[in-house]
C-alpha cells in the first residue's frame, strides 16, 4: 500500500553493521526534521553518507570502492572483520489506517548483495520499485548531494544541464528509442522515394510499349481514314460556309430595318433629356437654399450652447449648495434639539433636588416634634441651674482638653472647607469639559462637511481641467493636423492616380475575403490566403512567383487537416465555390536546399523562397511547399541552363522573370497574358492599402475639423475652472481655521483632563487627614467625657440618663446631620443652577445658527430657482432652434432625395441618349462588318473549291463540276483584291454550283455556334495532320509490342505493391517517431516547467531578497532535450551577469536553488547534503540554514558540515569521531557515533 503522500514519509533510523568504518552494530536516530552530521576530517562522515547511498540502492563504483566486499569493515586494510555487512533504513509512513514502519535492508555476503524489505527477501528491481513508491529514485539521486557536487552543478554548461534534467525527468530513457525511431523514419522516407522513382520508370516503359502496340494496330487504317477525313472536312467547310453566307444576308436586311427604328428613338430621347435637366436645376437650387438655412441655424445653436452649459453648471452647483445648506440646517436643528433636551433634564433635576430638600425639611420638623413628645429629657429650672454649674465646673476641670478640641475642630473645619472647595472646582472643570466637548463635536462636524465639499470641488475641478486640457490640445493642434492630413491625403490621391480595379473583380475578391474572415471567426487555426500573407521583395519577381504558386496563390493556409475538412464542409453547407486548403500538418514540404543559394553561374539565380516575403512565421511550411525549392532566373536561357545543364548533373525547377517555367521532369510552359493579369494582383494589394489610407486620412480630417470648432466651449470651461478654484481656496482657508480651532479645543480638554486627574489625589489627601483628625477628636472627647462623667455622675442618676453626653449629643448630633444634609442640597442646587444658566446662554446662540441656516437655505433655493429659470429659457430657445433644424433637415432629406432622383433621371436620360447613339453606331458598324464578313465567306468558298480542284478531292455535286471553277494562279492576287468587279463576277458564277451534302453527318450540319464549328474544323485538320504525320513517321509495325506491354504491366503491378508497402512502413515509422518524440517532450517539459516555475521563489528565499531573480531557458523550445538549458541568476543588488562571473558564494546559492528546485519535482522523504557550505560565508550560511529550517515540515534534511554557523540551526546533531584505542589494535578506521537532541535548548539567533 502506498503512502498518502511523500510528505507523510519520515526517515527515523539508520542501522549500520560492520559497514566501512562503522564496526559492529550501530543504530543512529531517531532522526529529526533537520539533522547535522559533524566531526573532524577523516572521522567517517562521508562513510555515513555512503551507508545511506548504499541502502538506497546506489551502485558500488559510486561508493568509493572497487568491489562490493570492500564495504565490509576492515577490508580496506586487508583485515575484514566479518564476511557480512549491512545497512538498514527504517521509515515511518502515514497510511490511511495509521502510522506504519517499513524497513529497507541491503546486506553484503561475500561478493554478493542481498535486498530485504521488512525481513522479506526481494529482487533488486522490486527493492528499487518499493523505494520509488515512497519517493526515492536511486537513478536520479534525488535524495543526496555528494561533496563538491554543488560547485560542479553551478559550473555545468547548458548541455550538461540538459542531461541533468533528462536524468531527473526520466526522458533520457527514451533517447535510444528516439534516435532509433528517427533513423528508421529517415530510412523509410528514402526507401519510399527510391521505390517511387522505380515505379515511375516502369510506368514510362509500359507507356512506350503501349504506344508501339497502338501504332501497329492503326497502321493499316491510316491511309483510308485520311482520305475520308479530307472529303468530310471539305464538305463540312462548304456546308457551314454556305450556311453563314445565307445568315449574313438575312442579318443585313434586319440591321437596315433596326437602323431606321433607332433613329426615331434618338429624337425622342434628346427631347426627354432637355426636360429632365430643367427640372433638376430647380430642385438643386431649393436644396442649396435649405442647406444654407440649416448652417445658419446650427451656427445660432453653437453660440447659445455655451450660455446653456454655464447655466446648467450653475444650476448643478446651486443644487449642491442647497443640499449642503439643508444638511447644515438639519445638523443645527439636531444640536438645538439636543440642547433643549439637556436644559429639560437640568430643570427636571433642579426641581427634583428642591423637592427632596423641602421633603427633608418637613421630615426634620416632624422628627423634632415626635422626639420632643416621646424621648426628650425635660429639665426643671433648678436642674438646669445645677447642669450649668456642673458644666462650668467640668469646663474648668477639662479646660485644657477643650482648648485642644477647639484647635482640632478649627483645623478639621478648615480641611472641610478645602475639601468642599476642591469638589466645587472639580464640578466646574467637568462642566467646562462638557461645554468644550460640545464645541469640539460641532467643529468636527463642520470639518467633515468642509472635507466633503473640498473633495467634491477638487474632483469637479480635475474633471474640468482635464476637459479643458483635452479641448485646448485638440483645438491647438487641429489646424496643424488639418494641414498635415490634407498633404497626406493629396499624396495618397496622387499615388492612386488613375489606378482602377475592375469593379466586378474587386467585389469578387471582397466576397472571397469575407469567406476567409468567416473561417477565422468559426474555426480557430485558419490563417489567411497565401497571397494576403506573402509579397515579392521586388515587382520584377511578380510574374515568376505567380507562375510558381499557380493555384496555390489563392489557397487558404490552416493549421491542421481537421480544420481544413471543417472549412470544406462549411463551403458545402453554404453552397459556395470550392477552395484550395494547405493544412500545415498534412502537406509534405521539402527542406530548404541551402546549397542552391550558392549558384553563381548563371548570375542572378535565387531561390524562389528567398524572393518571397511572408508573415507570420508559422506558415513557413506552407511557403516551402508551394515554392518547392524552385529557382528564379533573369532570362529563359538562364532558366533552361539551371534546369537541365548544371555541372552537378542534377535537374531543378527553374522559372524565368517572364514566366517561362522549366520543370525538372522535362515539361516546359511559357508565360501568357493571363499570367500577367494574375500577377497584377500583387499591385492590387498596394492599391487596396492606398485606399485604406485614404479612408483613414479622410476620417481623421473630419474629426480634426470638428475639434477646431470647440473654442467657445473652452472659454466656458475656463470660467468654470476659475470659479471652482476660488471656492476651493475659501474652503481650504475655512478648513485650516477649523483645524486650528479643533487643535485648540483638544489641547484645552487635555489640560482639563490633567487638572481633573490632579483633583483626585488632593481630595484623597484631605480625606485621609480628616479621618486621622476625627480619631484625635474622639480621643480628646473621651478624655473630656471622663471628666464630665465624674462631675455629672449624681446628676445623671437623678435625670435618668446614662451620662450627660447622651442628653447633649442627642440634640447636637441631630442638628449637625440636618445641617450637613441641607448643605448637600444647597450644593446640588447651586451646581444645577450654574449649569442651567450656562446652557440657557448657549440656547440663544444655537437658535441664531438655526435661523442663519434657514436664511441660507432660502437664499440658495431662490438662486437655484433663478438658475433653473435661466437654464429653462436657454434650453427652450435651443430646443426651438433644434426643432427648426430638424424640420429643415427633414426638408433637406426630402429635397436631397428629389435631387438624387432628378440626377438619376438626368443620368438615365443621358444614358438613354448615349445608348441610342451607341446603338446607331453599333448597327452601322455591324452592317459594315457583316458585309465585310460576307465577302470573306465568299472568298473562303472560292478558296475551298479551288483547293479541292487542285488536290483532286472528289466532293459530291448536285449541280456543276469542279472543272468550272476559275483557276487564277497566273494572275496577280493583289490586282484581284484591289478590284471588286472581277471577284463579284467569280462569286456569282460559283453560286450556281450546288454541293451534295447527304453524306455529311447530321450532327455536323446542326452545329450553330461558330466556336463549335471552328473546334470541329480544327479537330478535322488535326486528325488529317496527325494521320499524315503518323503515316510518314511509322515505318513498320513492331510485332513484339504486345509481349513487351504484358511484361511492363507485370513489373508495374509489382512496383505498385512494393510502393504501397514501403509507404505504409514510412507512415508507421513516422507515427512511432512522433509518439516517442511527444512522450520524451512531455516527460522533459513536465520536470522543466515545474523547476522553472519554482526556482525563482526558492532563490528569493535563499537570498532573502525579493529583488533576486533566477530563471531557466531552453535553447530549443520545440525539442529542448536536443540543445542546452541556460540558467541565469541576478544576485541581490547586482546587475545581470553570466554565471561564471558570480562569486563562489553566489554560485553556491544559485546551485542550491537549482538543486532544491529539482528536488521539489520528485521530492524524496529525506535529503542528504554533504558539506554544501564549503564556499559560503557566514551570511550565506545563515540564509541557507534558514531556508532548510523552513522546509523541515516537508522532509527530513541531513547535512554534513564543519561550520558551527550551519549546524547550530539543526534540531539534533550526529557526532562522528574516531576510536583511537581500537584503531591502534586493528589498524583500520573505526568511527564512533554520538547523538545530541538540540530541541530542548533555546536558540540564540
Amino acid at each position: 500500500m502506498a503512502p498518502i503522500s511523500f510528505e507523510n514519509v519520515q526517515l527515523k533510523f539508520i542501522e549500520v553493521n560492520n559497514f566501512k568504518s562503522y564496526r559492529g552494530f550501530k543504530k543512529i536516530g531517531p532522526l529529526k526534521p533537520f539533522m547535522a552530521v559533524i566531526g573532524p576530517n577523516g572521522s567517517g562522515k562521508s562513510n555515513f553518507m555512503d551507508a545511506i547511498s548504499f541502502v538506497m540502492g546506489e551502485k558500488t563504483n559510486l561508493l568509493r570502492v572497487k568491489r562490493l566486499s570492500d564495504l565490509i569493515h576492515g577490508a580496506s586494510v586487508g583485515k575484514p572483520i566479518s564476511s557480512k555487512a549491512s545497512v538498514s533504513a527504517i521509515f515511518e509512513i502515514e497510511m490511511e489506517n495509521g502510522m506504519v514502519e517499513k524497513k529497507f535492508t541491503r546486506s553484503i555476503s561475500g561478493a554478493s548483495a542481498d535486498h530485504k524489505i521488512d525481513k522479506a527477501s526481494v529482487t533488486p528491481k522490486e527493492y528499487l520499485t518499493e523505494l520509488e513508491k515512497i519517493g526515492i529514485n536511486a537513478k536520479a539521486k534525488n535524495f543526496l548531494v555528494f561533496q563538491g557536487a554543488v560547485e560542479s552543478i553551478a559550473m555545468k554548461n547548458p548541455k550538461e544541464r540538459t542531461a541533468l534534467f533528462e536524468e531527473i525527468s526520466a526522458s533520457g530513457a527514451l533517447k535510444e528509442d528516439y534516435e532509433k525511431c528517427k533513423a528508421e523514419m529517415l530510412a523509410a522516407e528514402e526507401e519510399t522515394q527510391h521505390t517511387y522513382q522505380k515505379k515511375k520508370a516502369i510506368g514510362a516503359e509500359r507507356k512506350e510499349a503501349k504506344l508501339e502496340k497502338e501504332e501497329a494496330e492503326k497502321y493499316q487504317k491510316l491511309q483510308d481514314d485520311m482520305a475520308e477525313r479530307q472529303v468530310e472536312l471539305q464538305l463540312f467547310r462548304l456546308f457551314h460556309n454556305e450556311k453563314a453566307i445565307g445568315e449574313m444576308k438575312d442579318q443585313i436586311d434586319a440591321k437596315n430595318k433596326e437602323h431606321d427604328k433607332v433613329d426615331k428613338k434618338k429624337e425622342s430621347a434628346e427631347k426627354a433629356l432637355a426636360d429632365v435637366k430643367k427640372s433638376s436645376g430647380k430642385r438643386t437650387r431649393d436644396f442649396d437654399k435649405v442647406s444654407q438655412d440649416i448652417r445658419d441655424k446650427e451656427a445660432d445653436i453653437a453660440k447659445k450652447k455655451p450660455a446653456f452649459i454655464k447655466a446648467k453648471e450653475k444650476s448643478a452647483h446651486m443644487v449642491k449648495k442647497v443640499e449642503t445648506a439643508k444638511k447644515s440646517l438639519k445638523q443645527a436643528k439636531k444640536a438645538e434639539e439636543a440642547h433643549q433636551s439637556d436644559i429639560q433634564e437640568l430643570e427636571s433635576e433642579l426641581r427634583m433636588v428642591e423637592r427632596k430638600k423641602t421633603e427633608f425639611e418637613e421630615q426634620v420638623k416632624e422628627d423634632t416634634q415626635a422626639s420632643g413628645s416621646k424621648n426628650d429629657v425635660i429639665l426643671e429650672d433648678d436642674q438646669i441651674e445645677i447642669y450649668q454649674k456642673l458644666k462650668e465646673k467640668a469646663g474648668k476641670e477639662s479646660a485644657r482638653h477643650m482648648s485642644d478640641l477647639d484647635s482640632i475642630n478649627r483645623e478639621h473645619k478648615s480641611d472641610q472647607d478645602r475639601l468642599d472647595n476642591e469638589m466645587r472646582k472639580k464640578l466646574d472643570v467637568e462642566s467646562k469639559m462638557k461645554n468644550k466637548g460640545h464645541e469640539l463635536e460641532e467643529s468636527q462636524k463642520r470639518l467633515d462637511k468642509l472635507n466633503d465639499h473640498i473633495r467634491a470641488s477638487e474632483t469637479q475641478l480635475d474633471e474640468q481641467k482635464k476637459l479643458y486640457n483635452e479641448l485646448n490640445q485638440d483645438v491647438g493642434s487641429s489646424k496643424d493636423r488639418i494641414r498635415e492630413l490634407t498633404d497626406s491625403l493629396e499624396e495618397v490621391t496622387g499615388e492612386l492616380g488613375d489606378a482602377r480595379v475592375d469593379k466586378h473583380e474587386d467585389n469578387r475578391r471582397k466576397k472571397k475575403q469575407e469567406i476567409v474572415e468567416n473561417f477565422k471567426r468559426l474555426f480557430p487555426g485558419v490563417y489567411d490566403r497565401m497571397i494576403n500573407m506573402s509579397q515579392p521583395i521586388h515587382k520584377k519577381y511578380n510574374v515568376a512567383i505567380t507562375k510558381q504558386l499557380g493555384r496555390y496563390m489563392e489557397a487558404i493556409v490552416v493549421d491542421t487537416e481537421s480544420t481544413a475538412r471543417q472549412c470544406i464542409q462549411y463551403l458545402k453547407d453554404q453552397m459556395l465555390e470550392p477552395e484550395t486548403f494547405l493544412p500545415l500538418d498534412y502537406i509534405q514540404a521539402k527542406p530548404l536546399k541551402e546549397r542552391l543559394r550558392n549558384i553563381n553561374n548563371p548570375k542572378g539565380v535565387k531561390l524562389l523562397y528567398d524572393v518571397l516575403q511572408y508573415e507570420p512565421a508559422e506558415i513557413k511550411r506552407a511557403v516551402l511547399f508551394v515554392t518547392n525549392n524552385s529557382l528564379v532566373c533573369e532570362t529563359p536561357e538562364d532558366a533552361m541552363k539551371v534546369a537541365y545543364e548544371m555541372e552537378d548533373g542534377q535537374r531543378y525547377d527553374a522559372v524565368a522573370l517572364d514566366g517561362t517555367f522549366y520543370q525538372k521532369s522535362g515539361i516546359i510552359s511559357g508565360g501568357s497574358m493571363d499570367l500577367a493579369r494574375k500577377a497584377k494582383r500583387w499591385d492590387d494589394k498596394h492599391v487596396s492599402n492606398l485606399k485604406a489610407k485614404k479612408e483613414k486620412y479622410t476620417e481623421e480630417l473630419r474629426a480634426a475639423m470638428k475639434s477646431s470648432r470647440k473654442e467657445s466651449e473652452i472659454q466656458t470651461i475656463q470660467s468654470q475652472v476659475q470659479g471652482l478654484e476660488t471656492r476651493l481656496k475659501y474652503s481650504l482657508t475655512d478648513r485650516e481655521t477649523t483645524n486650528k480651532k479643533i487643535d485648540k479645543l483638544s489641547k484645552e480638554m487635555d489640560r482639563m483632563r490633567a487638572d481633573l486627574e490632579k483633583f483626585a489625589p488632593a481630595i484623597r489627601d484631605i480625606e485621609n487627614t480628616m479621618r486621622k483628625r476625627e480619631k484625635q477628636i474622639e480621643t480628646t472627647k473621651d478624655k473630656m467625657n471622663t471628666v464630665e462623667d465624674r462631675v455629672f455622675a449624681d446628676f445623671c442618676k437623678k435625670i435618668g440618663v446614662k451620662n450627660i453626653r447622651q442628653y447633649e449629643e442627642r440634640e447636637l448630633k441631630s442638628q449637625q446631620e440636618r445641617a450637613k444634609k441641607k448643605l448637600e442640597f444647597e450644593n446640588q442646587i447651586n451646581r444645577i443652577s450654574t449649569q442651567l444658566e450656562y446652557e440657557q446662554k448657549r440656547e440663544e446662540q444655537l437658535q441664531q445658527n438655526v435661523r442663519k441656516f434657514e436664511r441660507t437655505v432660502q437664499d440658495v433655493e431662490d438662486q437655484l430657482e433663478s438658475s433653473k429659470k435661466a437654464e429653462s429659457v436657454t434650453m427652450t430657445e435651443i430646443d426651438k432652434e433644434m426643432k427648426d433644424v430638424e424640420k429643415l433637415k427633414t426638408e433637406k432629406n426630402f429635397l436631397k432625395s428629389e435631387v438624387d432622383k432628378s440626377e438619376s433621371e438626368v443620368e438615365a436620360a443621358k444614358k438613354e441618349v448615349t445608348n441610342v447613339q451607341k446603338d446607331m453606331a453599333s448597327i452601322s458598324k455591324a452592317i459594315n462588318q457583316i458585309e465585310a464578313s460576307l465577302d470573306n465567306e465568299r472568298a473562303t468558298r472560292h478558296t475551298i473549291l479551288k483547293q479541292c480542284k487542285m488536290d483532286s478531292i472528289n466532293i459530291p455535286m448536285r449541280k456543276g463540276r469542279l472543272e468550272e471553277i476559275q483557276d487564277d494562279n497566273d494572275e496577280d492576287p493583289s490586282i484581284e483584291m484591289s478590284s471588286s468587279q472581277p471577284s463579284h463576277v467569280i462569286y456569282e458564277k460559283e453560286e450556281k454550283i450546288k454541293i451534295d451534302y447527304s453524306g455529311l453527318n447530321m450532327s455536323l450540319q446542326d452545329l450553330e455556334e461558330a466556336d463549335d464549328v471552328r473546334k470541329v474544323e480544327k479537330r478535322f485538320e488535326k486528325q488529317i495532320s496527325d494521320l499524315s504525320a503518323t503515316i510518314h513517321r511509322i515505318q513498320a509495325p513492331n510485332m513484339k509490342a504486345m509481349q513487351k506491354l504484358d511484361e511492363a504491366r507485370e513489373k508495374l503491378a509489382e512496383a505498385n505493391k512494393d510502393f504501397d508497402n514501403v509507404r505504409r512502413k514510412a507512415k508507421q515509422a513516422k507515427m512511432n517517431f512522433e509518439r516517442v518524440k511527444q512522450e520524451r517532450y512531455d516527460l522533459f517539459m513536465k520536470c522543466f516547467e515545474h523547476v522553472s516555475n519554482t526556482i525563482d521563489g526558492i532563490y528569493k528565499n535563499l537570498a532573502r531578497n525579493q529583488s533576486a531573480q533566477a530563471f531557466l531557458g531552453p535553447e530549443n523550445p520545440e525539442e529542448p532535450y536536443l540543445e542546452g538549458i541556460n540558467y541565469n541568476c541576478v544576485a541581490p543588488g547586482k546587475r545581470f551577469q553570466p554565471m561564471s562571473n558570480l562569486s563562489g558564494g553566489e554560485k553556491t546559492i544559485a546551485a542550491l536553488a537549482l538543486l532544491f528546485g529539482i528536488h521539489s519535482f520528485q521530492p524524496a522523504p529525506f535529503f542528504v547534503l554533504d558539506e554544501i557550505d564549503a564556499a559560503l560565508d557566514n551570511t550565506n550560511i545563515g540564509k541557507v540554514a534558514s531556508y532548510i529550517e523552513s522546509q523541515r515540515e516537508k522532509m527530513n534534511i541531513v547535512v554534513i558540515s564543519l561550520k558551527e554557523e550551519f549546524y547550530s540551526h539543526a534540531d539534533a546533531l550526529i557526532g562522528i569521531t574516531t576510536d583511537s584505542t581500537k584503531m591502534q589494535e586493528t589498524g583500520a578506521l573505526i568511527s564512533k557515533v554520538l547523538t545530541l537532541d538540540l530541541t530542548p535548548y533555546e536558540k540564540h539567533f
Side-chain angles (χ1 to χ4, degrees), residues 101-120:
E101 279 195 355
K102 198 164 189 174
K103 184 175 182 180
F104 291 82
T105 303
R106 188 180 180 190
S107 58
I108 305 166
S109 180
S112 62
D114 184 28
H115 300 78
K116 292 183 180 180
I117 300 177
D118 292 335
K119 298 182 180 180

Side-chain angles (χ1 to χ4, degrees), residues 152 155-166 1124-1125:
S152 65
M155 297 308 296
K156 282 183 182 291
N157 60 39
K159 278 284 190 180
E160 293 173 339
R161 209 170 286 119
T162 302
L164 175 63
F165 272 90
E166 285 232 85
I1125 291 178

Side-chain angles (χ1 to χ4, degrees), residues 74-140:
S76 61
V77 296
K79 298 177 181 180
I81 192 174
S82 173
S83 62
K84 295 182 180 181
S86 65
V87 181
S88 298
I90 301 173
F91 292 92
E92 191 175 77
I93 305 173
E94 182 181 351
M95 312 294 278
E96 294 180 354
N97 55 355
M99 301 298 294
V100 175
E101 279 195 355
K102 198 164 189 174
K103 184 175 182 180
F104 291 82
T105 303
R106 188 180 180 190
S107 58
I108 305 166
S109 180
S112 62
D114 184 28
H115 300 78
K116 292 183 180 180
I117 300 177
D118 292 335
K119 298 182 180 180
S121 295
V122 295
T123 64
K125 184 177 181 181
E126 292 174 341
Y127 187 83
L128 294 176
T129 302
E130 288 298 320
L131 284 173
E132 288 179 0
K133 288 182 179 179
I134 62 173
I136 298 172
N137 189 336
K139 293 181 181 179

Side-chain angles (χ1 to χ4, degrees), residues 1109-1153:
Q1109 298 181 34
F1111 41 86
L1112 293 168
E1115 294 178 352
N1116 184 353
E1118 294 183 357
E1119 293 189 77
Y1121 40 78
L1122 297 181
E1123 303 292 341
I1125 291 178
N1126 294 316
Y1127 177 40
N1128 293 294
C1129 293
V1130 179
K1134 295 187 178 181
R1135 58 183 177 82
F1136 173 80
Q1137 53 187 336
M1139 183 70 73
S1140 59
N1141 292 348
L1142 297 179
S1143 66
E1146 290 171 343
K1147 287 179 183 175
T1148 302
I1149 293 295
L1152 287 174

